[in-house]
Amino acid sequence: MQIHETAFVISTYRSYYEDISKDIYAKLWNNPKTEALIPSILETISKDEAILHSIRNRFFYETLKLFFIKNSGGTLINFGAGFSMYQFLMEDNVTTIEIDKQDIIDYKKEKIDSWIRQGKLPYRKIQYSVIDFNQRTEKEIIETLRPLIKNKPIFILLEGVLFFLNQNTTNKLFNIFRELQNEGDLIGCVSYLPEVENTEVYKRLLNYFDSNNDTNEPFAHQTIPASYYKNLEGYLLKEHIDEFQLSKIYIKDSAIKNKTQILNENMYILERY
């Protein structure tokens, strides 16, 4: 499995629990190949994966909606955007900059443009940028993005990306964010805590990726302690919540009784000061 294929899987997950994810457009990405793949993923790794990704989407949907209501207009910069559809759930005065690898950007832009023409999606101001976080320097990435930012404030979203990066690239990204953002701007990001490495479900995740890595595309398998976010220069940690806690909020009579039974991703909201 290539990293970009996970984007199809995650969008399909969101479509399965539309009432939770609030992503009414995720189903546009559904396709037979991904549908055929998902049952084995859920059986091999965790039966809760689809609903957990829907919870994650709901958390950022609510956070983004509130941010852009309080700060009319502005720009959402989505690093590693995959097939997320937040921009179509926001007001039309929000500009989105979508960043990902060439194959995802080319495919997504073509499909989005087509769906807008067909009336399946509302028009939104979207700019696309192809950036390889590992290969490009901080200076190059900043010089690429700065001219694209026409409206402020800025919300930077880093969802489902850090797992695949190493510590050096992660540090590089937060240095870039600090240069692009001003006081009051937010970052939303997701990562695993190191203690998840001791759970059976996480070991199954790594085994699945390694066993299905048919292109030899590297997976960094990164986990990050909460202290990393607490000590980030220029940022205040405003919120930290995990999927186990969110399941109690968004899933009525949740069957998830123990956080060690799930791939318990942690969500962080950071404010630039």
Side-chain angles (χ1 to χ4, degrees), residues 13-217:
Y13 285 164
R14 296 197 305 269
S15 74
Y16 287 170
Y17 295 96
E18 191 177 288
D19 59 323
I20 294 174
S21 72
K22 296 301 179 184
D23 189 345
I24 60 174
Y25 301 114
K27 56 181 170 282
L28 290 170
W29 299 106
N30 290 10
N31 62 86
K33 181 179 178 182
T34 303
E35 293 275 6
L37 183 65
I38 283 178
S40 68
I41 297 175
L42 297 179
E43 181 179 352
T44 304
I45 302 174
S46 168
K47 63 180 177 56
D48 300 307
E49 274 296 270
I51 200 165
L52 290 175
H53 279 284
S54 298
I55 288 171
R56 188 178 82 180
N57 195 89
R58 174 66 169 275
F59 173 77
F60 286 117
Y61 161 76
E62 300 285 0
T63 305
L64 285 164
K65 183 172 66 172
L66 184 60
F67 178 79
F68 287 113
I69 288 173
K70 287 183 176 179
N71 304 279
S72 183
T75 300
L76 166 62
I77 308 180
N78 196 341
F79 278 74
F83 300 136
S84 64
M85 302 292 271
Y86 295 110
Q87 60 269 41
F88 300 104
L89 304 172
M90 301 295 112
E91 296 298 323
D92 59 8
N93 61 354
V94 177
T95 299
T96 302
I97 300 172
E98 298 254 292
I99 302 166
D100 218 307
K101 292 188 175 181
Q102 189 76 59
D103 51 355
I104 288 185
I105 290 296
D106 289 346
Y107 184 79
K108 187 172 189 179
K109 185 178 186 307
E110 178 187 354
K111 299 298 287 186
I112 292 295
D113 289 349
S114 174
W115 289 330
I116 289 174
R117 287 195 301 270
Q118 295 171 38
K120 294 180 179 180
L121 287 173
Y123 172 78
R124 290 294 184 268
K125 293 174 284 186
I126 308 171
Q127 300 179 85
Y128 299 91
S129 185
V130 175
I131 297 176
D132 188 319
F133 308 146
N134 293 303
Q135 300 299 322
R136 301 279 292 278
T137 66
E138 289 179 25
K139 185 173 184 288
E140 288 172 335
I141 296 174
I142 291 167
E143 288 179 349
T144 298
L145 293 179
R146 189 163 271 152
L148 301 180
I149 301 171
K150 307 299 184 185
N151 301 305
K152 297 181 179 180
I154 298 169
F155 191 113
I156 290 176
L157 185 61
L158 192 65
E159 183 185 10
V161 175
L162 291 173
F163 174 68
F164 298 106
L165 304 181
N166 59 40
Q167 187 65 68
N168 288 337
T169 303
T170 299
N171 293 339
K172 180 201 302 184
L173 284 179
F174 282 104
N175 289 339
I176 291 164
F177 299 162
R178 193 162 47 246
E179 289 297 315
L180 293 176
Q181 291 189 304
N182 296 320
E183 182 179 351
D185 290 347
L186 297 185
I187 297 173
C189 55
V190 178
S191 61
Y192 292 112
L193 292 173
E195 46 261 44
V196 77
E197 297 174 23
N198 298 317
T199 66
E200 291 303 314
V201 65
Y202 185 77
K203 293 172 185 176
R204 293 197 298 269
L205 173 70
L206 297 192
N207 183 65
Y208 183 87
F209 272 126
D210 290 337
S211 300
N212 292 276
N213 187 6
D214 54 359
T215 63
N216 294 316
E217 194 170 357

Side-chain angles (χ1 to χ4, degrees), residues 52-53 55-60 63 86 157-160 187-193 226 229 237-247 250 263-270:
L52 290 175
H53 279 284
I55 288 171
R56 188 178 82 180
N57 195 89
R58 174 66 169 275
F59 173 77
F60 286 117
T63 305
Y86 295 110
L157 185 61
L158 192 65
E159 183 185 10
I187 297 173
C189 55
V190 178
S191 61
Y192 292 112
L193 292 173
Y229 301 102
L237 178 57
K238 285 181 61 71
E239 187 171 3
H240 172 202
I241 193 166
D242 62 22
E243 289 175 337
F244 180 71
Q245 293 169 289
L246 288 173
S247 70
Y250 295 132
L263 281 168
N264 191 33
E265 289 187 297
N266 284 243
M267 276 62 68
Y268 302 87
I269 302 298
L270 304 159

